Amino acid sequence: MPNQELRSRSNKKANRGAKKTDAPQASSTDPGAARAARDLLTEAGTFSFSFQTAFRLLLVARCVSALFGVIQDCDEVFNYWEPAHYLQYGYGLETWEYSPQYGIRSWAYVFLHTVVGWIVSAFVTNKLQVYYLMRLAFAAVSSAVEAKFYRAVTEEVNPHVGRYILVALFFSAGMFNAATSFLPSTFAMWTTFLAYSFILRQPSQVSSKRTYRAVTCLGLGALLGWPFSAIVGLPFVAEELLVYGRDVGLDAQGNMVQLLKPKAWQLQRATRLARAVLTCGAAIALPIVLIDYFFYRRLMFVPLNIVMYNVFGGEGEGPNIFGVEPWYFYISNGFLNFNILFLLALASAPMVLVASYVDRERVAGASKLDAIWPYVLLGLKLIPFYIWFIIFTLQPHKEERFLYVAYPFICLNAAISIFLMRGWVSRGARALGASIVVRANIIRYLSFAILALFGLISISRIVALMTRYRAPITVYGALWQERPADQIMNLNYLQEDYPHDASLRELNVCVGKEWFRFPGSYFLPRDARLRFIKSDFDGMLPKSFEPEDIKTVTYEERGETLSQRVRQLKFEAARTIRSGFNSLNKEDPDSYVDVAQCDYMVDADYPLRARSTREPSFIQDTKNWETIVCEPFLDGLNSNALTRAFWVPGAKGLAWADYCLLKRRV
């Protein structure tokens, strides 16, 4: 139900109804069972987890995601992991979005996450460990905001709805992917969870805490994360201006009474909201502008640049040049990530409309408006999902990560749909003469069946992703097991001697057609650099950040003269305009190196795909390349659409490729 008032009134109504109709039917059954059934139907004593317990449960799922999840979007690698790697280690790959002439990626956002990397690097010995510890930190943040959202739903909406949401968050394949991603849309999803943990509470005329906290969270998500996430705050604005709430106080006798509504309360609310937006917006925007100025050396407001490029881009620009998808993309993607809960989320608004008519008598009131009003308030909580879904469905360019901000609302809307279905089933069973015990069992097992089916399908999806698409992480990670020929005379390669020994040269790890599955420079030892060779792809590729000034320092140790590399920490590459970068996704020939310069090669052999002269099978070129490690990788284009999406034992119709790390023969 939409709020505390509706829940308390519905409980009273249900209790009165139970005394009249349900008690006689339960008298012939076991008294304990009847009492438990009545408690279930009236929501009396409904069990719910505390914030700490919910956090621990969610953290288990998020840690599995951090350690075993795969990176599904090359944008996450090249636009976020690589700049963070540059800030931390002085080199990495740069995209055109970070060129100062465009400035549509914020260094402030990357800097915030890199601070985590600097902290954890003090406790580990190599970059690969830093990568996983950063993802574990993301897991902890996500678990905390999800648990807070769950508690807000439990306390302000309904404990049953809260439990359904906890199950949805724990098992969802969508949350498994999104929660630990290094993406602005993930950050905006976190702030949306946090914002709505305040928004779900009733408006107040007396206290401004709800207003300022919600605005701060929404502002962080929009200004530091993704500007478009501010859209989900529109229903909150409407509620602030149109819904008074239930402020209470103590009278002279110490009795709690409802405070009278001021005449100009809407003007006061509008003034307070405007003040909150200006104050919180300035407090958030100023540090962002200063940090971006430090790196770009140009005064710019990156969130505005993002909106201008994506909404008002010039001819041949804008997101559509990177691909368009059909109108049903988000329906298909939503089902993959939330399966039946996504369908229930889509159906939530119609179900509330039906409930406002069918279940009107559950809410006490002197008029029809009194009975319908709680459902109107509930509708305001459902609207953000529909706003987000409709707006982004209308955009030709679609990506899975664009839906992340809506994930809290998918869970909320679906949970409310399940709760409403419980009520309808109970009413139908009562109309057919079922006892209260039978009705309670039907309700209990209905919701259990829905959530069990959801969980089973979600686990199948998660296992499919972890087992069928993990090859790039395993293959690039194999570089850490490589040892020089005289390994007994060298330190462990995992200690990354390159910064401490200036005599070591850089090694080129090349990639062609599989460039977009590179998991990031955190997977490369410090003496290895990713290089691109020409493939059939003809768009804009990232380039290496301009090399920083590296000071070579010589010193004496045990009578031996040694030299090491010392980084200068000037971040000059962040403010350097690179030639060849453009906003039209046009190829730059300078992005490539010749195959002869490659020390290692990462390649995939797809037996069922045609080969081109630019994309030969280096794996089969055993004369020039030695295979270090190969892992199976699903060939999605030649696999059955259903069996490739979900893991089922003994599934047929799957085609596989060999994903390999190769080393040049000397």
Side-chain angles (χ1 to χ4, degrees), residues 587-598:
E587 183 180 42
D588 178 17
D590 292 339
S591 301
Y592 305 108
V593 300
D594 189 85
V595 176
Q597 301 178 42
C598 302

Side-chain angles (χ1 to χ4, degrees), residues 196 199 210 214 218 228-242 273 380-381 383-388 391 409:
Y196 270 79
I199 294 172
R210 173 182 183 266
L218 293 172
F228 302 105
S229 66
I231 296 171
V232 300
L234 294 178
F236 160 69
V237 173
E239 189 177 41
E240 277 284 290
L241 300 180
L242 301 177
L273 182 62
L380 287 175
K381 305 300 188 293
I383 286 177
F385 166 67
Y386 290 100
I387 292 177
W388 194 266
I391 289 177
F409 309 119

Side-chain angles (χ1 to χ4, degrees), residues 529-547:
R529 302 290 186 272
L530 188 77
R531 309 296 184 193
F532 298 107
I533 60 173
K534 179 59 184 170
S535 66
D536 289 337
F537 178 73
D538 59 359
M540 169 64 62
L541 286 171
K543 296 182 178 182
S544 296
F545 280 100
E546 286 287 346

Side-chain angles (χ1 to χ4, degrees), residues 118-145:
W118 280 323
I119 293 173
V120 300
S121 63
F123 305 98
V124 295
T125 58
N126 66 79
K127 297 188 299 177
L128 201 55
Q129 295 168 333
V130 171
Y131 166 83
Y132 282 109
L133 285 177
M134 288 178 69
R135 281 175 63 94
L136 288 172
F138 301 163
V141 173
S142 186
S143 301
V145 297

Side-chain angles (χ1 to χ4, degrees), residues 137-159:
F138 301 163
V141 173
S142 186
S143 301
V145 297
E146 291 173 59
K148 187 169 180 60
F149 179 73
Y150 152 75
R151 285 305 308 171
V153 173
T154 299
E155 296 167 5
E156 300 297 329
V157 181
N158 185 276

Side-chain angles (χ1 to χ4, degrees), residues 462-633:
I462 292 170
V463 172
L465 293 174
M466 289 195 304
T467 58
R468 296 171 178 174
Y469 301 97
R470 192 171 174 79
I473 288 178
T474 305
V475 165
Y476 280 97
L479 281 166
W480 296 91
Q481 277 71 55
E482 273 288 284
R483 297 288 189 275
D486 56 341
Q487 56 179 320
I488 297 179
M489 302 302 295
N490 287 273
L491 294 176
N492 188 322
Y493 200 57
L494 288 176
Q495 301 299 322
E496 301 189 79
D497 298 336
Y498 176 76
H500 312 293
D501 187 351
S503 66
L504 296 176
R505 73 175 185 90
E506 293 178 358
L507 302 173
N508 292 328
V509 180
C510 295
V511 65
K513 60 178 178 290
E514 292 296 310
W515 65 271
F516 56 93
R517 293 196 174 97
F518 174 57
S521 293
Y522 283 92
F523 282 80
L524 301 181
R526 292 200 189 186
D527 60 352
R529 302 290 186 272
L530 188 77
R531 309 296 184 193
F532 298 107
I533 60 173
K534 179 59 184 170
S535 66
D536 289 337
F537 178 73
D538 59 359
M540 169 64 62
L541 286 171
K543 296 182 178 182
S544 296
F545 280 100
E546 286 287 346
E548 288 193 346
D549 291 335
I550 302 295
K551 184 179 180 181
T552 302
V553 179
T554 59
Y555 59 96
E556 296 287 334
E557 184 174 307
R558 298 177 182 177
E560 185 179 2
T561 302
L562 303 175
S563 61
Q564 68 176 5
R565 299 173 172 88
V566 180
R567 184 183 174 192
Q568 300 300 297
L569 283 176
K570 295 181 179 180
F571 303 112
E572 292 181 352
R575 65 197 66 140
T576 303
I577 297 179
R578 304 289 304 278
S579 62
F581 274 155
N582 63 82
S583 60
L584 306 175
N585 197 26
K586 290 185 178 180
E587 183 180 42
D588 178 17
D590 292 339
S591 301
Y592 305 108
V593 300
D594 189 85
V595 176
Q597 301 178 42
C598 302
D599 298 291
Y600 293 89
M601 178 74 69
V602 174
D603 192 32
D605 185 28
Y606 296 90
L608 300 181
R609 297 188 190 182
R611 298 191 181 98
S612 68
T613 55
R614 290 179 173 177
E615 296 183 351
S617 176
F618 293 97
I619 297 173
Q620 297 185 10
D621 183 10
T622 56
K623 178 181 178 181
N624 296 306
W625 298 98
E626 172 190 357
T627 299
I628 302 299
V629 64
C630 280
E631 293 289 332
F633 186 80

Side-chain angles (χ1 to χ4, degrees), residues 354-391:
V354 172
S356 67
Y357 178 80
V358 174
D359 290 341
R360 187 177 300 168
E361 70 275 10
R362 292 186 65 188
V363 184
S367 67
K368 290 184 178 179
L369 180 59
D370 291 334
I372 293 176
W373 183 245
Y375 293 100
V376 174
L377 296 181
L378 178 60
L380 287 175
K381 305 300 188 293
L382 302 179
I383 286 177
F385 166 67
Y386 290 100
I387 292 177
W388 194 266
F389 180 76
I390 292 172
I391 289 177

Side-chain angles (χ1 to χ4, degrees), residues 6-29:
L6 176 56
R7 184 168 60 182
S8 62
R9 289 180 175 179
S10 64
N11 288 349
K12 293 175 183 178
K13 186 79 173 181
N15 283 328
R16 291 197 298 269
K19 292 177 182 179
K20 295 178 181 178
T21 61
D22 294 331
Q25 298 178 43
S27 61
S28 60
T29 63

